[in-house]
Amino acid sequence: MEILVLGPVEIRHGMLATRITTPKLCALLACLLAHPNAAVSVDRLVDALWPVAPPRSAADNLRAYVAQLRRMMDDASRIAAATRGYALTVVPDEVDAARFERLLRMARTASPRERAAEAYGQALALWRGDAFGGVELGGVAREYAIRLDEERLAAVEEGFDAELAMGRHKTLVGRLRGLVEEHPMRERLWAQLMLALYHSGRQAEALSAYQDARTRLVEELGLEPGPELRALQRDILTASPALRLSSGSRVRLTPPSRARLAAALGFAATLLLVTVVPAATARQERSTARPPAAAVAPADELTIGALLPTTDTCIYGPAAIAGMRVAVQEINAAGGVLGRPVRLVGGGDVPEFDEAAVRDLLSQDVDVIVDACDEGPLEMLDQAVPAGILMISPSNTGRYFTTDDDRGLFFRLAGTDALEGRALARLVEQAGHRKVAVVYSYVDDGDIGAGLRAGLDRSRAKIARWFRVTSEVNFADIARDLSRLDPDAVVFIGNDDDVEGMIEELPAYGWSMRHKKWYFADTAVFDYYDALPRGALAKVKAISPHTHPPDWLRERMSQIDSSLDTDYYGAEAYDAVVLAALAAEAAHDDSGLLAAAQLTGVSREGRVCTTFVVCRDLLRRGADVDYNGVSGPIDFDDAGDVQEATFTVSRFDDANTVWFDRTFRIKAG
């Protein structure tokens, strides 16, 4: 018998084929195949067949559909009744989806490139259309079909990488043009098209392809291209030697698995791994269904690595590490994860975004990395994603992590820069300001500025003028023009050096930061002490994308590190550890791959719980949980971002030091 689902659904017995077109039969088969050789509960099957409003007779109807599917298989024993459910017995080679996955794993480990390209071709040749013939499915069945379709696209992209590396540029142009039209939001395909055109001697067309990609992204999503696509455009413009020395393609032939995972997991768990393969740019849903305990082998200890620098520009590392240690102590005091203690490694005195530190953590077989602020982790993804490591950031705010190809492995607890801009807009609006000036000192006003603009567009406050600090327009020029404009309030998007430069020039024009209301983005939130005249910032308020830890947590953090002079992101780092532990409990395994597939589920749409112990006990009783942490409700969306973020409002005193004022929350979207 063969079961074919990579296209219209068919069950074949030799030369005889039975095509299944009934949506509910397709949904039943998909749900059983999503967990082969394991029991699937009646509730989950009913949800897949009747996702909106199941009839009262759903259980009886389900038995009828099971009987019909048994007849099509010509072997009633294939679908066995199990405790409160059914189990489908198959061997991998009987299912085309399983053969596809096996060939894809071979392609990802194949060498030389010719063999890899051939293996990708063999894997993709199994497809005859959309998974399950594009039939509308529900519940687990829909998730399984989505995962298969996304894996197909990933294989297409990886296959192109292999062919580009072999120099087959001219033959790929036509196929890539068709695919970018079909999938215009997948930046990797655009990059491959640009490379194919460039290496075919068509540089102008390669740059035109970039502009086409940018237009699509801006018009449809309001986003600029990601850093990889922008870097490729720069390389093409400058005829970079990097493009001459190699194909420039992103060939990744290292398998996204780890030795102990491969040894521990059988065919059932291998299919579960598909949950984390789809690219972040096209993630439609993250699975919230927990695998049965029997589906995976016993776990070893959950190992969490801290990549939270304590030097360079990321000053929040010590507080975040202390928050992580408090969480690990509490979890281990409660019996650990899956009966074993959690191991915390890393967290030493490393410079920000140090790639050697990432390699060191990977060498210690970490399952989870709690990582740093700013955009340094983009480089980390290239090492951590192929290794199947779950990454949770307490402090990252850059928008590229929403769209980067993290394969569903990157999550963050801080609100994005765009949300921070909206938080600044709320402060301005609540204070009753009407005429606002914005001073910014970056290459552009960025996502903070975009969020500010969007927030104020909905209010009575209006931005009268944007001032950008450049080599031609300095602080003296801006101070002069501010005095002429005379706004009610000024929003400042810059760093501490910019603050000092601005304050130095303002008095010459009869202004100071005490003269009008000033609001700082988090990039300027520091204790300035004697670097500024006393009282220079006394009326300034600031926004930061984190919460204020509760008293008990601050006390525990101080006990761990008595030298702490800030508690920034301590609460978020604490929650990152608890979430990783709960996701491992839900997955019945400590691997980062399987935990990542459960992380969204334990953060939302279940029974609300606020501690690791209570949430863990609910999970062990079979309940769904919604962890509301010390940083507030988490609720990850399908891109790994929080759907509602907490922001801290701070104020400066006469000594130019920052003091906590209050917190509030803003919903994304």
Side-chain angles (χ1 to χ4, degrees), residues 187 224-231 234 250 252 280-281 283 307 352-355 358 369 371-386 391 393 396-407 410-412 417 447:
E187 293 188 39
E224 290 290 334
E228 182 179 16
L229 206 60
R230 297 199 312 272
R234 288 194 300 270
R250 293 181 58 207
R252 277 185 182 164
T281 51
R283 260 184 290 196
L307 188 68
E352 192 171 0
F353 318 143
D354 184 77
E355 293 186 7
V358 180
I369 292 178
D371 61 67
C373 56
D374 296 325
E375 294 186 3
L378 274 172
E379 289 81 6
M380 183 187 73
L381 293 181
D382 286 336
Q383 298 183 64
V385 168
M391 293 161 285
S393 176
N396 182 275
T397 59
R399 67 180 166 91
Y400 298 118
F401 290 94
T402 300
T403 56
D404 198 77
D405 186 6
D406 60 33
R407 303 295 177 91
F410 185 88
F411 297 77
R412 56 176 163 190
D417 288 338
D447 291 324

Side-chain angles (χ1 to χ4, degrees), residues 304-306 308 310 316-332 342 344 347 370 394 413 547 549-550 552-562 564 566-579 612 627 630-631:
I304 301 177
L308 294 160
T310 56
Y316 312 131
I321 291 169
M324 291 181 67
R325 288 177 176 164
V326 173
V328 169
Q329 287 178 358
E330 291 185 353
I331 292 167
N332 288 343
V342 175
L344 180 62
V370 177
L413 292 152
T547 194
W552 68 265
L553 179 56
R554 289 203 307 277
E555 182 178 349
R556 291 283 306 279
M557 289 164 57
S558 296
Q559 292 171 357
I560 286 174
D561 186 350
S562 59
L564 285 180
T566 179
D567 55 26
Y568 288 2
Y569 300 105
E572 287 77 9
Y574 174 95
D575 282 342
V577 172
V578 174
L579 282 163
F612 169 76
Y627 173 66
V630 293
S631 64

Side-chain angles (χ1 to χ4, degrees), residues 19-307:
R19 177 162 291 190
I20 303 176
T21 57
T22 305
K24 286 184 170 50
L25 278 177
C26 291
L28 173 60
L29 180 60
C31 203
L32 293 171
L33 284 174
H35 304 283
N37 305 310
V40 182
S41 70
V42 168
D43 288 343
R44 192 171 292 182
L45 292 169
V46 168
D47 181 59
L49 272 65
W50 296 277
V52 178
R56 292 183 179 180
S57 59
D60 292 333
N61 294 351
L62 174 63
R63 283 192 288 272
Y65 283 119
V66 168
Q68 188 175 353
L69 190 57
R70 282 170 172 162
R71 288 194 295 272
M72 291 179 174
M73 292 185 176
D74 199 24
D75 184 353
S77 66
R78 286 283 190 160
I79 304 177
T83 305
R84 301 177 185 174
Y86 295 92
L88 172 62
T89 301
V90 291
V91 295
D93 281 346
E94 289 181 322
V95 184
D96 59 351
R99 294 199 299 273
F100 167 72
E101 291 290 333
R102 176 173 55 80
L103 288 168
L104 190 54
R105 289 193 300 273
M106 290 172 54
R108 286 169 171 164
T109 58
S111 181
R113 290 165 176 166
E114 289 79 5
R115 288 183 59 191
E118 181 182 358
Y120 279 115
Q122 291 174 349
L124 291 166
L126 294 172
W127 285 81
R128 299 166 291 112
D130 294 334
F132 292 90
V135 171
E136 189 66 31
L137 305 172
V140 176
R142 178 173 181 267
E143 294 170 4
Y144 180 48
I146 288 172
R147 294 199 301 268
L148 289 175
D149 283 329
E150 285 293 330
E151 188 73 310
R152 178 192 188 183
L153 270 177
V156 168
E157 292 172 337
E158 293 165 18
F160 282 139
D161 279 345
E163 293 193 64
L164 286 168
M166 295 166 58
R168 298 175 179 173
H169 308 105
K170 294 181 179 180
T171 61
L172 296 179
V173 170
R175 291 156 59 193
L176 282 165
R177 283 198 187 278
L179 280 167
V180 296
E181 287 301 316
E182 189 176 350
H183 305 283
M185 299 299 108
R186 295 185 81 96
E187 293 188 39
R188 189 173 179 182
L189 287 173
W190 284 105
Q192 290 169 329
L193 175 59
M194 290 166 64
L195 281 168
L197 288 166
Y198 177 80
H199 287 291
S200 300
R202 299 157 71 176
Q203 180 181 4
E205 291 179 67
L207 294 172
S208 177
Y210 173 83
Q211 293 302 326
D212 290 343
R214 182 182 180 278
T215 298
R216 294 286 190 92
L217 292 167
V218 170
E219 289 182 352
E220 297 187 32
L221 299 179
L223 296 175
E224 290 290 334
E228 182 179 16
L229 206 60
R230 297 199 312 272
L232 179 57
Q233 182 211 26
R234 288 194 300 270
D235 286 345
I236 291 174
L237 281 168
T238 59
S240 169
L243 295 179
R244 293 198 303 269
L245 292 172
S246 69
S247 68
S249 58
R250 293 181 58 207
V251 180
R252 277 185 182 164
L253 300 180
T254 303
S257 60
R258 302 159 69 206
R260 68 173 182 193
L261 193 62
L265 301 178
F267 175 62
T270 300
L271 282 183
L272 288 172
L273 292 183
V274 180
T275 345
V276 296
V277 173
T281 51
R283 260 184 290 196
Q284 300 175 45
E285 268 192 319
R286 288 176 185 260
S287 171
T288 58
R290 295 194 304 278
V296 292
D300 54 13
E301 63 186 2
L302 177 66
T303 301
I304 301 177
L307 188 68

